[in-house]
Amino acid sequence: MKSSDQASPNSAETVVNEQIFGDATTPEPVAETPNRFIKPEHADFPPIIIMAVSNVCDMACIHCAHPVMKKSPGYRARYMDPELHTKVVEETRRYRDNLWVFRYAADGESLLHPRFIDFVEEAKAAEIGPVNLTTNGMSLTDEKMKRLLLAPIDLIDVSLDAYTKAAYEKIRKRGDFEKVTTNLERLIELRDALGSPTKIMTSIIRQSEALDEIDSFVAFWEQRVDEVLVRGLNIDLGVVEATETYFDDSITRWACPQFWKRVTINHDGDLRFCVEDWFNRGVVANVKDSTIREIWTGPLYERFRQLHRTGRWGEMNLCRPCMDWQHMRWDHGFEKAVQNVLGKK
């Protein structure tokens, strides 16, 4: 490995070790999974970049860790600096041919960032793709929709999580069912009128408050959008007190694919290894100080991979109690939904 591939000894990598790692543990059985980079090129750069451009959200969904995070001491509204976004885009464009998805999601509602549409246009001008936005749909104005569709963003995923207003109001606190569904219908109408290639998805989570609505939800929306996703219910490393988890204790645990597939970059530029890590306890380094490639190919990430290959995830403080791995299958990640919907005519 070239010296340029190593993270700087002054980077955050040397600071977070004690927070990330715990005591040595007895290895556990590891399910048969690839435990490798799906493409050799992914060893140089992660195929999935998740951009958490803000930690601000206008809703308080019962399945989300954001309401808990917002009440924590020290929380304050933060927005990614445009210069930081440009730095990430400029590095990512060099690896765009091997990218699975450049995804705006996690930590907050991206559309609340005052420069968010500029960010999407910047990414598309750099010919990065596919670019995806996952949104609650509350802030989709006509102007924002048109600019997104003309960029053109590759994929917009509107999270609804319910077929009826009654179920929606139980799940998506502070949301407006009529407003969001109207926005989604308008997005479809504008997309078709503009002749934009943008694909549109919506999704529902398997949770008790809407479990009996899943079939109706899928049947209704699959006639209107390009793809309907049914997601598993995560508990975000135990932060969310979910009414139903649907975890199976009999399943042999597999190595977490995040270490071979994706990174999450938050509003401050902190790169963390887990998308469920709302409190940023697994920050590896900051992309202001190191490149994404330096972090991804560095010795700390290789240590993560080796611990998971050998069933020693118990030595990582975030991974040890995690149950959300059951919804992160090697053969069924979000990138599969992206590839599937973009392949549709």
Side-chain angles (χ1 to χ4, degrees):
M1 183 180 294
K2 298 179 181 179
S3 59
S4 60
D5 293 340
Q6 304 290 336
S8 166
N10 295 321
S11 72
E13 188 168 312
T14 60
V15 177
V16 298
N17 286 356
E18 292 184 3
Q19 183 170 311
I20 291 177
F21 299 108
D23 297 331
T25 60
T26 302
E28 298 179 34
V30 183
E32 289 189 15
T33 52
N35 294 350
R36 56 174 171 77
F37 296 107
I38 303 303
K39 293 184 177 180
E41 300 91 331
H42 295 166
D44 287 331
F45 196 82
I48 302 175
I49 303 291
I50 300 176
M51 296 287 281
V53 297
S54 176
N55 65 349
V56 177
C57 189
D58 49 358
M59 295 178 66
C61 303
I62 62 173
H63 53 254
C64 182
H66 189 276
V68 180
M69 178 186 72
K70 192 173 181 179
K71 295 177 182 177
S72 62
Y75 169 83
R76 60 190 179 98
R78 300 296 300 271
Y79 301 90
M80 180 175 285
D81 185 271
E83 291 184 3
L84 173 59
H85 184 269
T86 298
K87 184 178 189 297
V88 174
V89 166
E90 286 303 307
E91 182 179 2
T92 303
R93 74 185 300 174
R94 298 197 292 272
Y95 302 93
R96 62 194 177 198
D97 291 342
N98 297 315
L99 198 67
W100 281 344
V101 62
F102 191 81
R103 186 182 186 195
Y104 294 100
D107 290 13
E109 171 55 53
S110 301
L111 283 169
L112 295 179
H113 193 299
R115 296 286 303 276
F116 177 67
I117 308 299
D118 296 337
F119 287 176
V120 173
E121 291 173 341
E122 179 178 48
K124 291 305 300 180
E127 299 182 344
I128 289 175
V131 175
N132 156 247
L133 164 65
T134 295
T135 174
N136 62 33
M138 287 281 287
S139 301
L140 280 171
T141 64
D142 264 30
E143 180 185 0
K144 290 179 180 179
M145 291 185 214
K146 288 176 182 177
R147 286 182 63 187
L148 287 171
L149 292 168
L150 292 173
I153 193 170
D154 298 278
L155 176 62
I156 300 175
D157 170 22
V158 179
S159 302
L160 279 179
D161 294 321
Y163 177 61
T164 65
K165 178 179 179 180
Y168 182 91
E169 291 178 346
K170 291 179 183 177
I171 296 167
R172 294 200 149 256
K173 303 294 185 180
R174 297 207 298 265
D176 185 324
F177 182 72
E178 285 86 359
K179 181 177 183 179
V180 174
T181 52
T182 298
N183 285 349
L184 180 52
E185 296 278 11
R186 178 60 174 159
L187 180 65
I188 298 166
E189 178 186 12
L190 279 174
R191 189 269 309 270
D192 295 344
L194 293 170
S196 170
T198 299
K199 299 295 186 181
I200 299 171
M201 296 197 304
T202 188
S203 61
I204 187 170
I205 293 175
R206 292 188 181 277
Q207 54 191 321
S208 60
E209 290 79 6
L211 197 59
D212 60 351
E213 297 191 359
I214 292 177
D215 290 344
S216 298
F217 181 93
V218 173
F220 179 82
W221 285 108
E222 69 179 359
Q223 303 300 316
R224 291 161 172 79
V225 300
D226 299 295
E227 188 78 1
V228 178
L229 295 185
V230 180
R231 305 179 190 271
L233 176 62
N234 287 346
I235 57 175
D236 294 339
L237 302 176
V239 175
V240 176
E241 295 182 5
T243 53
E244 298 285 343
T245 58
Y246 307 104
F247 294 135
D248 185 348
D249 291 333
S250 69
I251 299 176
T252 301
R253 186 168 176 170
W254 49 79
C256 181
Q258 292 197 61
F259 298 111
W260 287 266
K261 288 186 177 183
R262 63 184 177 183
V263 297
T264 299
I265 301 171
N266 76 5
H267 49 275
D268 285 331
D270 287 331
L271 185 150
R272 64 186 194 237
F273 62 78
C274 181
V275 70
E276 307 292 342
D277 179 20
W278 288 78
F279 289 89
N280 294 303
R281 293 174 292 172
V283 171
V284 182
N286 192 289
V287 298
K288 298 174 185 175
D289 306 317
S290 306
T291 67
I292 298 170
R293 184 177 188 273
E294 285 173 340
I295 300 167
W296 184 248
T297 61
L300 188 51
Y301 248 95
E302 183 49 39
R303 184 178 177 188
F304 296 156
R305 296 177 187 120
Q306 185 60 20
L307 288 175
H308 271 252
R309 283 190 195 101
T310 57
R312 293 162 56 204
W313 39 70
E315 295 179 28
M316 299 181 65
N317 293 327
L318 284 182
C319 302
R320 183 171 55 252
C322 176
M323 292 298 293
D324 295 331
W325 59 268
Q326 294 197 20
H327 297 150
M328 297 180 187
R329 304 186 66 92
W330 279 80
D331 58 350
H332 191 62
F334 184 74
E335 72 277 5
K336 299 293 186 181
V338 173
Q339 292 164 0
N340 182 53
V341 70
L342 292 183
K344 292 183 177 180
K345 295 183 179 179

